[in-house]
Amino acid sequence: MAEYLARNPFPARGTAGVEETVVPELLLNWAARTPTALLPGVRDAERLAEDYVRAFPDETTRHGGLGCLYGSHGAGKTHAARHVMAAINRADLDAVQLYVRFQDDDFVAAYRRLVPQLSQSLLTDLIVRYLGTLAGDQAANAGVPADRGSVRDALTTNPTRVFDLFDAHLIEAGRVLEAQAREIAAVTGDGPRFQRALSFLIRPEFSDAAYDWLCGRPIELDAAHALGVGDQIDDPLTCRYGLQLLATLVTRSGRPFALVFDQCEKFLLDDGIPVPANLGLLQSLCEVVPRVDGLLLLAASEAGWQAMPPDLHQRIGPGAVHMLPLAPEDARLVLRVYLDSVRETPGDGIWPITEPGLRELLRHSGGNVRLLLQLAWASFEATPAGALDADVVAAAAVRYRRAPGLDDLALLAESRLLAAGLDAERVQAEGRTTAFRLPGVHDPRVVIKLSEAVFFDDEVSNAVEMVAPGGDIVPDGRTLYTALLVTGYVSPPVLDALRRVVHTVLVADGSPAFSLELDELVARAASVLAARDRPASHPAPLEEAVRELRAYLQALGSQRRTESVALGRELAEAAVPGAVPAPSGWPARRAELTRRIAGARAARREADWDGFRKARLRVVREWKTRLRVVICAAVVLVTLGVALGMTYPSALTLIAEGVVVAAAGAFAVRTLVRSWVFGPSASLDVRADLDQLGRELRPHARARAADPVIRYAYACKEDPDDGYRALADAILVEPLALVRQAIGRRLAMTVRPPAECVDEVLRGLRERIPEVLLLLARRQHHTDPERAPRTLRDLRPELRILVALANPDRLELAAGAPTKHPAEPVLAALGVRGPNHPLARAYRSGVAQLAPGEIPPSELRAAARLLSPLEPDGLGTYHWLPLVPEIDELYLYFEELLYYQEEIRSYR
């Protein structure tokens, strides 16, 4: 039975409101009582802040941070920024943070709200600690580096001891003040005034006046003259200097510093027009704050982000976080988080919101977080004890509705077209208005299609048929301009896909921005119709884009079918009173397979070692035999020489005897040296013994030595870059698997990326040397991040499995042309064919996610055989690969799928 909710879990105002407060306790309390869905944008921003705080304690790894949350109004940027601030305080309670929400483009007013967030006592403590840091630096310069640590440790507990050090002349106060002046001058253009203010802040009789001046407040004329700071801070440049000085002061005193600017668009834009002076101020802060090891986090609307210059976009770089409209799964996460906040036992579902209710929430909110939560609140208020289905949400949405219905959208578009002097002729489909074709139905040059909200496979399938050549939007392939108007909502990934095949896609959300975009659309249609001689220009490349969109829909449709099957199975089980699902026999089967794999792998390792030991023993025997032969030959020659000397004592005889003995001895010694064996009695039971012996024999290492230990030493000694070609040749002629594995491991240390080693890999495979796969089973570096190397994408499918396993964060490297090869299901399970492929979803979330019979058993069996550690030439038989654990998991996954299908059939 569904749990009854005692109160409405959703906020009436949508996203939670926040105040300009930076007190750590208040931030942590806010985070504890305010639900936060960890959407992708929130996770990215949180990761940026956590990386900054984690690296801060170590001065050698400390670095500043710069990020920007941007998206539409109501996308949750402020909420995400507040969540990030709470995360910083959780990581380091001593972190100093400032937050301001811009109300206009007045930077001075914002500064006067920012600085007072630091209390006078805290600011004074930071100054004293800053002096202590400078004193520690001075101690290190005057003595040994350890002095700096000892001084700083002494000042950590009692910062005011720095003045005792000054008084005792243990540290020169003048040099400390000079260092302070240099650092202040480096971040401000008004160093003397700020230094005087800081120095008077720690003097009780002038502290209040100095603090007020730093906060931008007016102070009495006498106090200003006494401090030597002049007039009140009232210009943006000096305010910028003040913030840069604060960042330096905090970080140099040993505490993390975060500065958060919210609603930057109000600061950067004046009635939609960029303010150059403010853009310059923001750019300077984005340069200086991270440089002094502070974190600057911006939050801006789409317009604010677009107003920033390209070089600022580049400076922000990976710190730019786009807060997109909610996808259906994201909306489900948001609703579940808020529902769990009032449930006694958190659950995985979103009851009392039904699936049709979720769609209706998205339809009327447009994927906007604020509107979604407001509408959920209104729906719950209307029906607090029942299911929130589509009818309930639609009734509650009357008050919040912004998006026009399909008929209203058609009237709106028609009125705009007629007002522009265009003959807008409607095209009917099944009694409903679907499109406008201009200037006529039969030979349109402009097609404007209207569509209901787009969620999942059914609606998107219709959209694909519209945009495919011969469809509603591109009927004959000669249309110059195509547009799609959608009421209310389009799922973000679908929107990106549609924009690749349609010139313009607008989401009719009823906002002023949509009205302006519709006017631009009509103006462009008019210009296209006026230029009749203009050649046709389709969205390029249309055919390829439509093909990609169809592939996306296929994956999405499989996902929906899988969810439907799983839901149907759950409902069927729930319909039987007292039904208990039969226990699965897979755990026992998996344990048996694991034991077999371990046994087979141990047998292969033993076979490799056995072959190596036999080869070594054979070489030792041959060496001993040759040694005996040399000794015997030496004895015979000496005896012969003595006999000849006694019989023929002449000088000529002695010379002949010496020549014969030397020639025979040289031949025998040469034969012995060629088969020389070092350490013939060394123990070779484990690889550690072999590695140790190889290190000892490195001076004698040769690629073509008879002794396999010498060849092993060569494999561990040869440079993998300068000697890359020699190693590649050596692995092809090496007869012993154990030595080939050593050569392969050495080759894999090369700086050459796998894409540049493909020729050697293919050559080795042709020679039946699988150890060359070690060159491929590595991470791909040194390549254009926007384009996968062609050599990798053109590999055989079974080799691309290794590429995908070695590069899980860049699966596009393995995205070659699909085939009927058994490797294709494996690549699909890894996500190469998209994360929503049924095999990929089942691999991540469990085989129950896969509908029975959706993948033919023959394909699963072929994939398992390709990966098997038990079948000849299966990828799992290469026990020396570093990717063996991942291969085993894949193999067991396909075996589980086969077992799962057998179980389902047996139940039926």
Side-chain angles (χ1 to χ4, degrees):
M1 183 177 177
E3 181 181 349
Y4 174 73
L5 301 180
R7 63 178 178 86
N8 193 333
F10 306 106
R13 295 195 302 162
T15 51
V18 296
E19 301 299 331
E20 292 182 351
T21 177
V22 292
V23 179
E25 292 78 9
L26 296 179
L27 282 172
L28 295 176
N29 289 337
W30 177 89
R33 57 182 171 79
T34 305
T36 300
L38 294 181
L39 299 170
V42 178
R43 289 198 301 269
D44 291 342
E46 188 177 36
R47 192 178 303 115
L48 172 71
E50 288 175 346
D51 290 344
Y52 166 73
V53 178
R54 181 166 52 250
F56 190 85
D58 187 349
E59 292 186 2
T60 60
T61 62
R62 181 184 299 177
H63 57 81
L66 179 61
C68 180
L69 302 168
Y70 68 98
S72 62
H73 293 291
K77 303 182 296 297
T78 299
H79 190 113
R82 208 65 174 172
H83 176 75
V84 167
M85 294 178 70
I88 291 175
N89 277 131
R90 276 195 297 270
D92 190 337
L93 200 59
D94 289 332
V96 176
Q97 303 189 72
L98 301 179
Y99 169 90
V100 68
R101 183 168 51 219
F102 285 104
Q103 299 172 354
D104 47 35
D105 60 351
D106 187 349
F107 190 63
V108 176
Y111 174 84
R112 291 172 179 172
R113 300 204 315 273
L114 266 172
V115 180
Q117 294 175 20
L118 294 177
S119 66
Q120 185 173 341
S121 59
L122 175 58
L123 193 55
T124 303
D125 180 73
L126 290 173
I127 294 170
V128 175
R129 291 183 183 276
Y130 176 38
L131 289 175
T133 300
L134 295 173
D137 293 340
Q138 180 62 30
N141 294 333
V144 295
D147 292 343
R148 181 174 187 267
S150 61
V151 170
R152 293 188 63 180
D153 291 342
L155 297 176
T156 299
T157 55
N158 186 8
T160 57
R161 289 189 59 190
V162 69
F163 301 112
D164 298 334
L165 298 176
F166 292 161
D167 294 339
H169 302 289
L170 297 176
I171 296 176
E172 294 186 35
R175 291 186 179 274
V176 172
L177 295 178
E178 288 176 5
Q180 182 190 44
R182 286 194 300 270
E183 291 194 2
I184 292 176
V187 295
T188 73
D190 195 2
R193 279 210 301 171
F194 279 107
Q195 187 176 19
R196 284 194 289 271
L198 294 182
S199 62
F200 279 105
L201 187 64
I202 56 180
R203 297 175 61 177
E205 65 272 22
F206 294 107
S207 180
D208 293 342
Y211 178 74
D212 287 339
W213 184 85
L214 287 170
C215 292
R217 299 166 182 165
I219 60 175
E220 295 181 358
L221 186 60
D222 293 342
H225 287 312
L227 298 178
V229 294
D231 297 333
Q232 174 187 9
I233 295 178
D234 58 358
D235 65 286
L237 186 60
T238 306
C239 293
R240 192 198 94 196
Y241 292 154
L243 291 180
Q244 293 171 179
L245 175 62
L246 280 180
T248 305
L249 185 66
V250 175
T251 57
R252 290 286 279 146
S253 65
R255 301 174 71 167
F257 176 75
L259 179 60
V260 182
F261 286 167
D262 197 3
Q263 296 186 5
C264 288
E265 66 277 2
K266 295 182 180 179
F267 169 62
L268 300 176
L269 302 173
D270 181 12
D271 198 17
I273 300 174
V275 181
N278 289 351
L279 287 171
L281 284 172
L282 186 63
Q283 276 189 290
S284 299
L285 286 169
C286 289
E287 292 174 4
V288 176
V289 173
R291 191 175 70 212
V292 298
D293 299 330
L295 171 65
L296 178 59
L297 182 63
L298 313 175
S301 66
E302 299 276 4
W305 172 255
Q306 294 301 327
M308 297 180 192
D311 58 335
L312 184 53
H313 286 177
Q314 293 173 3
R315 185 174 295 277
I316 294 173
V321 179
H322 195 181
M323 306 290 287
L324 292 167
L326 296 173
E329 287 304 317
D330 295 335
R332 187 175 284 106
L333 172 62
V334 171
L335 296 172
R336 179 170 59 80
V337 166
Y338 277 86
L339 287 166
D340 285 348
S341 66
V342 299
R343 287 171 172 160
E344 292 184 3
T345 55
D348 294 331
I350 58 172
W351 179 262
I353 301 172
T354 65
E355 192 67 23
L358 172 63
R359 290 195 182 199
E360 201 69 13
L361 285 171
L362 284 171
R363 188 191 309 274
H364 293 289
S365 68
N368 184 280
V369 178
R370 178 184 297 151
L371 293 177
L372 179 90
L373 293 173
Q374 286 177 336
L375 188 51
W377 176 86
S379 302
F380 190 92
E381 287 293 303
T383 312
L388 305 186
D389 55 17
D391 293 336
V392 173
V393 175
V398 173
R399 173 182 168 190
Y400 295 91
R401 174 178 295 175
R402 296 195 307 170
L406 194 60
D407 293 335
D408 295 335
L409 180 60
L411 290 173
L412 178 62
E414 184 177 29
S415 63
R416 298 290 178 91
L417 291 170
L418 292 174
L422 302 178
D423 185 11
E425 184 174 355
R426 298 189 186 188
V427 178
Q428 304 290 330
E430 298 181 0
R432 292 182 62 81
T433 301
T434 59
F436 295 96
R437 297 189 178 188
L438 309 173
V441 176
H442 301 294
D443 187 20
R445 298 166 64 80
V446 175
V447 175
I448 303 174
K449 175 71 180 180
L450 278 64
S451 171
E452 289 281 8
V454 179
F455 297 94
F456 298 113
D457 47 322
D458 48 356
E459 297 93 341
V460 183
S461 298
N462 296 334
V464 172
E465 299 307 321
M466 300 176 210
V467 300
D472 292 341
I473 289 185
V474 192
D476 56 5
R478 294 195 299 273
T479 304
L480 294 176
Y481 180 60
T482 58
L484 179 63
L485 305 182
V486 186
T487 61
Y489 177 78
V490 180
S491 182
V494 178
L495 182 61
D496 291 339
L498 287 174
R499 282 176 170 161
R500 291 199 295 268
V501 292
V502 182
H503 289 102
T504 302
V505 181
L506 299 183
V507 181
D509 56 3
S511 65
F514 167 71
S515 182
L516 293 174
E517 291 171 342
L518 184 58
D519 288 338
E520 293 175 1
L521 183 155
V522 172
R524 184 172 180 184
S527 65
V528 168
L529 293 173
R532 291 187 174 276
D533 296 332
R534 182 182 301 174
S537 59
H538 307 300
L542 180 59
E543 291 285 356
E544 181 61 27
V546 171
R547 190 178 301 114
E548 292 178 4
L549 185 54
R550 289 184 186 277
Y552 168 77
L553 292 174
Q554 182 179 5
L556 188 58
S558 299
Q559 171 187 346
R560 300 293 297 162
R561 287 195 300 275
T562 301
E563 292 174 354
S564 299
V565 171
L567 181 60
R569 188 182 304 120
E570 292 176 3
L571 293 175
E573 293 174 356
V576 181
V580 178
S584 173
W586 169 246
R589 171 65 174 162
R590 179 185 173 98
E592 178 190 351
L593 286 173
T594 303
R595 284 194 297 271
R596 290 180 57 193
I597 291 171
R601 201 155 279 157
R604 280 191 290 271
R605 290 195 185 94
E606 184 57 35
D608 292 345
W609 273 98
D610 191 48
F612 185 86
R613 292 192 193 97
K614 287 180 179 178
R616 168 77 169 175
L617 183 61
R618 183 168 58 252
V619 170
V620 170
R621 286 174 179 168
E622 291 177 357
W623 172 74
K624 289 181 178 179
T625 300
R626 291 177 180 179
L627 182 62
R628 294 190 189 99
V629 169
V630 169
I631 293 174
C632 292
V635 171
V636 169
L637 288 174
V638 170
T639 304
L640 179 62
V642 171
L644 289 174
M646 293 176 64
T647 306
Y648 306 102
S650 65
L652 183 62
T653 304
L654 291 176
I655 293 173
E657 175 187 349
V659 170
V660 171
V661 171
F667 176 78
V669 171
R670 180 170 175 268
T671 302
L672 178 62
V673 168
R674 289 178 59 186
S675 63
W676 190 260
V677 176
F678 295 89
S681 60
S683 173
L684 297 176
D685 296 327
V686 293
R687 182 176 159 184
D689 296 339
L690 185 55
D691 288 341
Q692 179 62 33
L693 185 57
R695 283 192 292 270
E696 295 173 359
L697 300 180
R698 278 191 174 190
H700 311 285
R702 300 192 311 278
R704 301 299 176 90
D707 187 357
V709 174
I710 300 298
R711 300 201 302 272
Y712 188 91
Y714 166 78
C716 300
K717 173 187 176 183
E718 182 64 81
D719 186 272
D721 295 315
D722 295 338
Y724 176 81
R725 182 54 54 196
L727 285 169
D729 292 337
I731 198 172
L732 296 178
V733 298
E734 174 57 49
L736 295 179
L738 208 61
V739 180
R740 287 199 305 269
Q741 293 162 23
I743 298 175
R745 287 193 297 270
R746 191 67 174 175
L747 275 171
M749 295 179 185
T750 179
V751 296
R752 303 185 184 199
E756 296 180 11
C757 303
V758 167
D759 291 341
E760 288 75 20
V761 172
L762 297 180
R763 192 173 97 181
L765 293 178
R766 286 195 298 270
E767 299 291 334
R768 302 289 297 174
I769 307 294
E771 287 79 9
V772 294
L773 292 177
L774 286 162
L775 281 168
L776 200 62
R778 300 178 293 135
R779 185 176 294 275
Q780 170 71 22
H781 295 293
H782 314 301
T783 186
D784 184 353
E786 300 297 330
R787 182 175 56 196
R790 183 64 180 263
T791 51
L792 296 181
R793 292 186 288 113
D794 289 346
L795 285 171
R796 301 199 302 262
E798 67 271 21
L799 299 183
R800 286 191 274 115
I801 292 175
L802 297 179
V803 176
L805 288 173
N807 301 272
D809 55 339
R810 293 197 59 199
L811 295 176
E812 69 275 9
L813 294 171
T819 65
K820 294 294 185 182
H821 195 278
E824 290 302 326
V826 183
L827 293 170
L830 291 172
V832 174
R833 301 296 175 224
N836 287 324
H837 190 282
L839 283 173
R841 285 174 50 80
Y843 186 54
R844 293 194 309 269
S845 307
V847 296
Q849 298 291 325
L850 190 65
E854 189 164 356
I855 307 297
S858 58
E859 295 183 16
L860 300 178
R861 198 169 290 110
R865 190 176 298 113
L866 175 67
L867 297 165
S868 175
L870 307 174
E871 299 284 345
D873 294 327
L875 283 179
T877 60
Y878 305 142
H879 59 88
W880 30 263
L881 280 173
L883 303 174
V884 157
E886 291 85 351
I887 294 172
D888 286 351
E889 282 302 316
L890 274 171
Y891 167 69
L892 293 171
Y893 163 67
F894 280 97
E895 286 288 348
E896 184 180 7
L897 285 178
L898 288 167
Y899 194 89
Y900 177 69
Q901 288 190 347
E902 290 295 331
E903 276 192 334
I904 295 296
R905 280 196 290 272
S906 66
Y907 291 157
R908 288 178 178 174

